[in-house]
Amino acid sequence: MPGGGRMLVMSELIRLDQDTTATDPQGPQKELSGRSPDDLRNIAATVASEAADHVRGERAFAVGSSGRLDVEDTKSSDVDPVTAIDRSSENLIRIRLHELTDRGAGPDPILGEEDGGALADSGVTWVVDPVDGTVNLVYGIPASAVSIAACVDGVPVAGAVADIFHGTVYSACAGGDVVTRVDGDERVIEGTVQTSLQQLSMALVGTGFSYVSSRRRAQADLLVDLLPEIRDIRRMGSAALDLCAVATGRLDAYYEHGLGPWDYAAGTLIAARSGAVVFMPSLVSGQDEGVGILAAAPGITDELAEKVLAVTLPLSKGHP
Ligand code: IPD
Ligand code: CA
Ligand code: CA
């Protein structure tokens, strides 16, 4: 068993697909304080788009003749960078969400990767990754995004992922279409998940790796077993964009263990509303436990889930 993680009971994971993300008027809707899921999708798309413009502009301004962005700080390990732009992007997002969600009784709470916060017990909490793909942003590899999701009870009800380098904003909400926004023009996307794919051997699968080397070793062991069974693997460096790639058919599946809630809150809903099958831990679960998430074309989900979700890859104590 790669990494020696305990066996995972699949029922511990939440399944998101087109049926389970259909609007339930008795469920999350009553928690939205009079707003529809589409109102929340609009807020997420607007703010993510503004933050992506900010990040693009700031990077162009700040980058030196080396083409690299300065790293201000590190987080979980020496290779987990924080730049001034991660912080200024989150600051902008917090200000805009406060403005757009304050209906007199105070704004909705926010959980952000850089400034923290917590998921509220009731009502909407906004879960924010101000730059997903910071290493790519530092190196100038064009795969970074802003991810913003409105979440209730540990699951997303609306969300947006804004591709920083290419300008596209992907968004979705419970019961709604998946929408792309380019230069302010919105377009519904449908039929892009590869529903005819039945063979895992033909699947192009995305994944990602932790910043912590002990978990990386377990992830590598898992990959050694999987790679001979699939078409090929891609490691692009932004979990949020990987999930959008499943939604738009540029990947057949994506999995990773030990993500933070900000990495997958918006992207999982976008993939599920596109017709992918998603298994994810509740957004309240901790990263250290190393639970996996999977988004896949329906015909290969069960086989892939057996291979990648059967284990968790927890961090060892005092991890190197
Ligand atoms: C990271 C990216 C990467 C994934 C890592 C994440 P960050 O987010 O999504 O693709 O493999 O697990 O931590 O640090 O760039 O926001
Ligand atoms: Ca991230
Ligand atoms: Ca981040």
Side-chain angles (χ1 to χ4, degrees), residues 166-190:
H166 300 99
T168 306
V169 184
Y170 305 88
S171 62
C173 65
D177 294 320
V178 176
V179 172
T180 57
R181 195 189 271 197
V182 182
D183 294 333
D185 289 337
E186 292 207 327
R187 199 165 64 85
V188 170
I189 59 161
E190 52 190 339

Side-chain angles (χ1 to χ4, degrees), residues 90-295:
E90 182 155 332
N91 194 36
L92 180 150
I93 292 166
R94 283 178 181 270
I95 291 169
R96 292 293 288 137
L97 287 177
H98 274 73
E99 286 170 2
L100 295 175
T101 68
D102 193 353
R103 287 142 293 117
D108 294 336
I110 297 170
L111 165 62
E113 182 179 11
E114 304 304 334
D115 291 337
L119 284 150
D121 291 338
S122 62
V124 171
T125 302
W126 294 86
V127 178
V128 170
D129 193 337
V131 177
D132 184 55
T134 297
V135 173
N136 287 343
L137 194 76
V138 168
Y139 280 74
I141 297 169
S144 307
V146 174
S147 174
I148 300 178
C151 304
V152 175
D153 277 343
V155 292
V157 291
V161 173
D163 182 330
I164 291 165
F165 285 92
H166 300 99
T168 306
V169 184
Y170 305 88
S171 62
C173 65
D177 294 320
V178 176
V179 172
T180 57
R181 195 189 271 197
V182 182
D183 294 333
D185 289 337
E186 292 207 327
R187 199 165 64 85
V188 170
I189 59 161
E190 52 190 339
T192 47
V193 168
Q194 301 302 294
T195 45
S196 59
L197 180 70
Q198 299 294 327
Q199 286 171 278
L200 189 57
S201 59
M202 296 307 291
L204 186 62
V205 179
T207 193
F209 306 113
S210 167
Y211 292 112
V212 176
S213 64
S214 59
R215 176 171 284 150
R216 239 182 224 192
R217 180 166 297 281
Q219 289 172 317
D221 289 346
L222 181 57
L223 187 57
V224 164
D225 290 340
L226 183 67
L227 192 52
E229 308 283 325
I230 58 177
R231 178 193 283 267
D232 206 344
I233 201 82
R234 292 290 180 272
R235 195 292 191 249
M236 295 191 280
S238 163
L241 287 179
D242 288 329
L243 288 159
C244 292
V246 175
T248 53
R250 281 178 277 119
L251 285 176
D252 298 310
Y254 163 75
Y255 76 94
E256 187 167 342
H257 292 77
L259 289 174
W262 38 78
D263 296 312
Y264 64 91
T268 43
L269 183 63
I270 292 167
R273 291 306 302 157
S274 286
V277 177
V278 176
F279 288 103
M280 56 170 252
S282 163
L283 295 166
V284 296
S285 84
Q287 281 180 278
D288 287 1
E289 292 164 35
V291 177
I293 81 152
L294 170 68

